[in-house]
Amino acid sequence: MNNADLEQRIGEHAKTFEAKRNERKGTRRFTNADDAHLRPSRWWFASSAFPMIAGTLGPVASAFSICALVRPWRQYLPPGTEITAAPFMDDPVWLLVVNAIQLAMAIVSNIFLLLNMTRRVRFSIAQPVTIVGWYISAICLMSLAASGAGPLVPKDVPYDEWVWSQAFFYGIWAAILYFVVSTLMLITIYGAWKGHYAKDFNLTSSQRTLMLQTIMFLMYLLLGALVFSKTEGWSYLDAVYWADVTLFTVGFGDLSTDSPAGRALLFPYALVGVISLGLVIGSIRSLALERGQRKLDARFVEKKRRKKLKKLEQEGAAKMLKPIHGAEKRVNTNDMSGDFLTEYQRREQEFVLMRQIQEEASRRNRWVALSISLTVWLILWLVGAVIFLACEAPYQSGWGYYDAFYFVFVSFTTIGYGDRTPISNAGRSFFVFWSLLTLPTMTVLISNAGDTVIKFIRDSTITLGNITIMPGDRGFQADFKEVLRSMSCGLLFKEEFPTTAPGFLGETNQTYGTDTEAGLSHHTHTLLPDQHEDDEPGGFKSPSNDREDIGNGNGLLGPQSELRPRTSYTGSAAGRSSQEVPSGGHAMQRRMTHRPKALTRTSSNHIIPTRLPATREGYHFALIKEIARVTGHMKQHTTKKYSFAEWAWFLALMGEDEGSSETHRAVHNDNFSEKTHLTDQNQERVKWSWVGKRSPLMGSQDEPEWVLERLTHKLSEELEEVKRRAELGAFERQ
């Protein structure tokens, strides 16, 4: 068929396709997926933590508002009368009206907050309603409490013959909570107005689940208290105190069910309540491991990275961060043989350095988290003892600070002997308020202790074995120096990079890139000898019976790589042979030629190929295979960390080459910020460093997430390329 404009139409179609494809590609392809490590952690608290706290404590404040409304605020207590039997004194009408208004406003505020968090109401509408409503509730309750100095004082009753009821104190606790949560939400709105984050809540499903579970648990506690107050003849607020002591498994025994109906109802009520409380504790525990915590960890890593790089610059060791170009040779000062480094080996050193930074930042973060949670725990313990002493001393003789200190500890740990219990209205109401604060504090403290103290004991045991009867892989000298360096806080045997190689006295050659140095729990080791390119289809090499020495004589096991043009593809759709370049960095036409002539195997028995497939079909199969493997890593309980050999293979599949300095760069000295630079020939080629702020090891994404996202994107590009070729072929056949 003679079609004069066929070639023109094909060219226009190809240009349109390429323009759209280039428009979709961004500079983030080989950089980290988010900027969490570059954002101050205070704005993460404002955008995520503060709304979650407000959404959890807001319903608690409303529950206290209900307790402040259901009973009068004053009780008649003549001398010799038990406080539990003191009759109530009627409240004035204005107090009931104001109290009801503040409760209605608080409930409306909670509803709008939840609707906004579930994206049913816009941020600009819901947040003003929530904040104004909570502030009105706080002001109303504070005004009512302040009226206790005048209008609420009984005129015809002596001052020492009446007391404030539990409802009065519940109003005070509710006012405090309303003011706190409304202030937190005001800070959230301020951050959104300044543009530090989107005008929306960045809450995860676990955070929303915790809020819902808290609301359900409080409703269950209040309704249960209502039922048991009827069956046991208690006042409602005493029943609330009993339900709180029961569901928190403290079990003082000062109030207990005596009627057959009450004991029969206790079985299902306590069982369901304890299970519900366990769900709340589980949600709090999971929040400590979520993305929000990873964002804070990323910020710690960024701070540690800057500090480490400045230290290297001051010590004159920053040269290792500069790429090795072309025929440039750089002496390997860590190797006694005086051999030269390749760019692949230098990048491996960068990778190990970044792993060290991550480990040090993670260790510091764990101990900081433990210190904060322990400090809050001590404050609740010590300050709580002071408040309980002030509440109980007028009603219980013999109560000193040590008794209150003892009571708080027994309650905190849910031991609950019952030899010391609160009997005052202020003490019982404060116990309910205080116990709801101690639950998350105790949960977080136990979680942080498990991540720090227990890990420290385990690591110390392993270290002791390494320098005594079970020498480690690094050798006795390296392990002993590490112990002395840690005990002296870095004053002795300052940290070197890389660390000493295996050997009793460290006299063997230096080894780079082992997973032990990188802070990993497994090793990457040489497995198979050289293989010929044509032994198997697709460019993968089959094992050979003739083994060869691996490395270059200086103990280096890490591969040296370089991507170069390889197989020519025939453009059958165009009816001609051509050197066609696959999309995204020449991945299929290049190969790694200077790696050791061997494959490597990870601890999971996975073989890492040394060459890319020779055919497009084989390349696609390799992408799919690695996507499936990385998907499996995302399902693991512990976060997967890849070795440098694995990262080199993943990056090669994406079109990057760890052995070539084409896309590598040194970290800038301007506050060690790393700017993205693109070449004129390829607008998607991003230069980056393993220790730069755009490193794949930075940000809040887990490594499997990062790799999976890029491999999936690469496979999509390849399939789009196949589709484009098919469409061009269809045009030619017309």
Side-chain angles (χ1 to χ4, degrees):
M1 180 178 65
N2 185 12
N3 194 334
D5 62 345
L6 176 60
E7 184 175 352
Q8 181 180 359
R9 285 194 295 143
I10 294 176
E12 292 176 354
H13 180 80
K15 290 180 180 179
T16 302
F17 179 86
E18 291 296 332
K20 292 182 178 179
R21 188 184 64 160
N22 291 332
E23 183 180 354
R24 287 192 298 267
K25 294 177 181 177
T27 62
R28 300 171 69 87
R29 179 180 171 192
F30 293 109
T31 60
N32 59 338
D34 57 46
D35 296 329
H37 57 294
L38 302 178
R39 300 172 185 170
S41 55
R42 60 181 178 272
W43 295 121
W44 174 85
F45 280 104
S47 64
S48 297
F50 287 176
M52 183 192 67
I53 294 173
T56 304
L57 294 183
V60 174
S62 297
F64 288 169
S65 291
I66 294 174
C67 293
L69 180 63
V70 296
R71 302 299 289 175
W73 281 26
R74 300 166 299 178
Q75 286 181 276
Y76 181 61
L77 186 66
T81 305
E82 293 290 336
I83 192 172
T84 55
F88 288 94
M89 304 170 63
D90 293 335
D91 289 332
V93 176
W94 56 267
L95 187 146
L96 295 176
V97 172
V98 174
N99 213 347
I101 291 175
Q102 67 83 18
L103 178 59
M105 293 294 297
I107 293 176
V108 171
S109 299
N110 280 304
I111 292 175
F112 269 85
L113 178 65
L114 292 176
L115 290 177
N116 182 212
M117 290 182 175
T118 56
R119 295 178 176 84
R120 298 291 189 273
V121 179
R122 292 199 307 269
F123 185 92
S124 58
I125 297 177
Q127 289 316 300
V129 173
T130 299
I131 294 174
V132 172
W134 277 343
Y135 270 127
I136 291 176
S137 296
I139 293 173
C140 288
L141 289 172
M142 289 178 182
S143 301
L144 293 178
S147 68
L152 279 181
V153 176
K155 304 299 182 183
D156 53 349
V157 179
Y159 183 79
D160 58 348
E161 293 186 6
W162 67 276
V163 294
W164 298 111
S165 70
Q166 293 186 45
F168 171 81
F169 293 104
Y170 275 116
I172 294 177
W173 313 138
I176 294 174
L177 289 179
Y178 282 136
F179 182 80
V180 170
V181 295
S182 56
T183 302
L184 293 180
M185 294 309 303
L186 189 63
I187 296 174
T188 299
I189 284 188
Y190 174 78
W193 176 64
K194 285 293 187 178
H196 294 290
Y197 42 81
K199 294 181 179 180
D200 198 0
F201 291 116
N202 188 23
L203 300 183
T204 64
S205 60
S206 296
Q207 290 172 324
R208 292 189 176 94
T209 300
L210 174 61
M211 293 163 49
L212 180 61
Q213 288 173 343
T214 303
I215 295 173
M216 299 301 295
F217 177 77
L218 291 172
M219 292 178 59
Y220 186 79
L221 187 148
L222 296 179
L223 292 176
L226 178 62
V227 173
F228 281 95
S229 67
K230 300 298 183 183
T231 59
E232 300 300 320
W234 299 326
S235 69
Y236 178 71
L237 297 184
D238 281 339
V240 170
Y241 163 77
W242 170 87
D244 181 83
V245 170
T246 301
L247 298 185
F248 279 78
T249 67
V250 180
F252 288 133
D254 50 348
L255 291 178
S256 60
T257 55
D258 296 326
S259 66
R263 291 183 174 179
L265 291 174
L266 175 64
F267 299 134
Y269 180 74
L271 182 61
V272 175
V274 171
I275 293 175
S276 301
L277 184 63
L279 293 176
V280 174
I281 294 175
S283 296
I284 295 174
R285 175 68 178 87
S286 66
L287 287 178
L289 304 176
E290 274 200 345
R291 185 174 301 275
Q293 183 63 35
R294 295 206 299 268
K295 289 182 178 180
L296 292 180
D297 292 343
R299 185 60 183 168
F300 272 93
V301 172
E302 170 63 13
K303 292 180 179 179
K304 184 64 179 179
R305 181 188 72 88
R306 291 172 180 264
K307 183 178 179 181
K308 191 77 170 182
L309 293 178
K310 289 180 181 178
K311 181 180 178 181
L312 287 177
E313 186 180 41
Q314 293 171 356
E315 296 177 352
K319 187 177 181 181
M320 62 164 291
L321 304 177
K322 298 180 180 179
I324 301 175
H325 299 282
E328 178 186 352
K329 293 183 178 181
R330 191 171 299 164
V331 177
N332 180 9
T333 57
N334 293 294
D335 186 10
M336 298 301 296
S337 64
D339 285 341
F340 297 103
L341 283 175
T342 63
E343 174 61 13
Y344 188 94
Q345 294 162 359
R346 188 199 66 81
R347 289 281 283 188
E348 194 169 11
Q349 287 187 354
E350 276 190 357
F351 181 86
V352 176
L353 177 61
M354 192 65 214
R355 284 292 193 218
Q356 291 178 350
I357 293 173
Q358 286 181 316
E359 178 60 27
E360 292 174 7
S362 176
R363 188 187 309 117
R364 179 179 180 273
N365 188 23
R366 290 194 300 266
W367 285 103
V368 168
L370 176 62
S371 301
I372 293 175
S373 58
L374 182 60
T375 301
V376 174
W377 187 82
L378 289 174
I379 291 174
L380 289 175
W381 185 5
L382 302 178
V383 177
V386 173
I387 297 176
F388 277 112
L389 175 62
C391 295
E392 298 301 317
Y395 297 91
Q396 300 190 60
S397 61
W399 262 65
Y401 181 76
Y402 180 76
D403 296 280
F405 183 82
Y406 163 79
F407 163 75
V408 170
F409 178 80
V410 171
S411 304
F412 221 145
T413 55
T414 68
I415 297 174
Y417 289 124
D419 52 343
R420 288 287 186 270
T421 58
I423 64 173
S424 66
N425 291 332
R428 287 189 172 181
S429 63
F430 179 71
F431 182 85
V432 176
F433 171 70
W434 176 81
S435 62
L436 292 174
L437 297 180
T438 60
L439 169 66
T441 303
M442 195 70 180
T443 302
V444 174
L445 176 62
I446 294 174
S447 174
N448 292 332
D451 294 338
T452 52
V453 178
I454 296 177
K455 184 177 184 300
F456 173 77
I457 295 175
R458 183 180 67 248
D459 294 345
S460 299
T461 303
I462 296 175
T463 302
L464 180 62
N466 289 341
I467 62 175
T468 54
I469 60 175
M470 297 182 296
D473 294 333
R474 298 187 304 174
F476 172 80
Q477 186 187 56
D479 291 329
F480 188 68
K481 286 182 178 180
E482 179 65 22
V483 171
L484 294 179
R485 188 183 68 83
S486 299
M487 294 177 62
S488 64
C489 298
L491 297 178
L492 297 177
F493 301 106
K494 291 186 178 180
E495 185 177 7
E496 299 176 354
F497 180 83
T499 54
T500 308
F504 184 75
L505 295 177
E507 68 274 9
T508 58
N509 291 336
Q510 186 71 32
T511 303
Y512 297 88
T514 64
D515 293 342
T516 300
E517 296 168 331
L520 302 179
S521 60
H522 60 273
H523 300 274
T524 303
H525 57 275
T526 301
L527 175 68
L528 297 174
D530 189 20
Q531 300 154 359
H532 295 288
E533 188 173 331
D534 55 355
D535 286 345
E536 291 183 7
F540 289 106
K541 302 178 291 181
S542 59
S544 171
N545 294 327
D546 300 327
R547 297 190 60 86
E548 297 182 16
D549 294 333
I550 306 301
N552 58 358
N554 62 351
L556 294 173
L557 300 180
Q560 310 165 47
S561 63
E562 181 180 3
L563 296 178
R564 293 181 177 178
R566 184 177 182 178
T567 307
S568 298
Y569 294 96
T570 302
S572 57
R576 59 186 183 275
S577 298
S578 63
Q579 295 282 82
E580 299 191 48
V581 179
S583 61
H586 307 265
M588 292 186 55
Q589 289 181 293
R590 299 182 174 203
R591 67 176 181 176
M592 294 173 282
T593 59
H594 293 308
R595 302 182 69 172
K597 300 177 180 179
L599 301 178
T600 57
R601 185 190 292 272
T602 65
S603 63
S604 59
N605 210 30
H606 175 74
I607 296 177
I608 304 175
T610 59
R611 296 179 184 272
L612 290 172
T615 64
R616 185 176 293 274
E617 292 78 8
Y619 175 61
H620 293 172
F621 176 76
L623 283 173
I624 294 172
K625 185 177 180 180
E626 293 302 325
I627 288 174
R629 187 168 72 93
V630 174
T631 302
H633 295 160
M634 295 182 63
K635 299 178 182 178
Q636 295 179 0
H637 179 68
T638 57
T639 303
K640 173 71 174 178
K641 291 184 178 295
Y642 297 112
S643 65
F644 181 74
E646 289 176 297
W647 269 108
W649 168 242
F650 289 141
L651 292 173
L653 289 174
M654 301 172 196
E656 291 283 323
D657 180 14
E658 286 299 274
S660 171
S661 59
E662 179 183 355
T663 56
H664 304 165
R665 67 174 295 110
V667 182
H668 279 261
N669 293 330
D670 50 344
N671 202 18
F672 286 103
S673 62
E674 186 183 13
K675 301 178 181 179
T676 302
H677 289 276
L678 307 178
T679 62
D680 296 333
Q681 294 81 5
N682 193 340
Q683 291 297 313
E684 65 185 46
R685 309 294 286 180
V686 181
K687 292 188 175 183
W688 56 278
S689 168
W690 280 111
V691 291
K693 69 178 183 180
R694 296 299 179 187
S695 168
L697 301 183
M698 297 294 294
S700 62
Q701 268 193 319
D702 289 336
E703 293 179 26
E705 291 183 61
W706 193 98
V707 174
L708 181 63
E709 180 180 330
R710 270 70 178 180
L711 290 180
T712 304
H713 178 73
K714 182 62 181 176
L715 180 61
S716 175
E717 284 184 348
E718 288 294 318
L719 295 181
E720 285 183 359
E721 180 73 11
V722 172
K723 178 182 177 182
R724 183 184 71 86
R725 290 167 180 258
E727 292 176 351
L728 289 176
F731 271 109
E732 287 184 338
R733 289 191 294 270
Q734 292 180 2

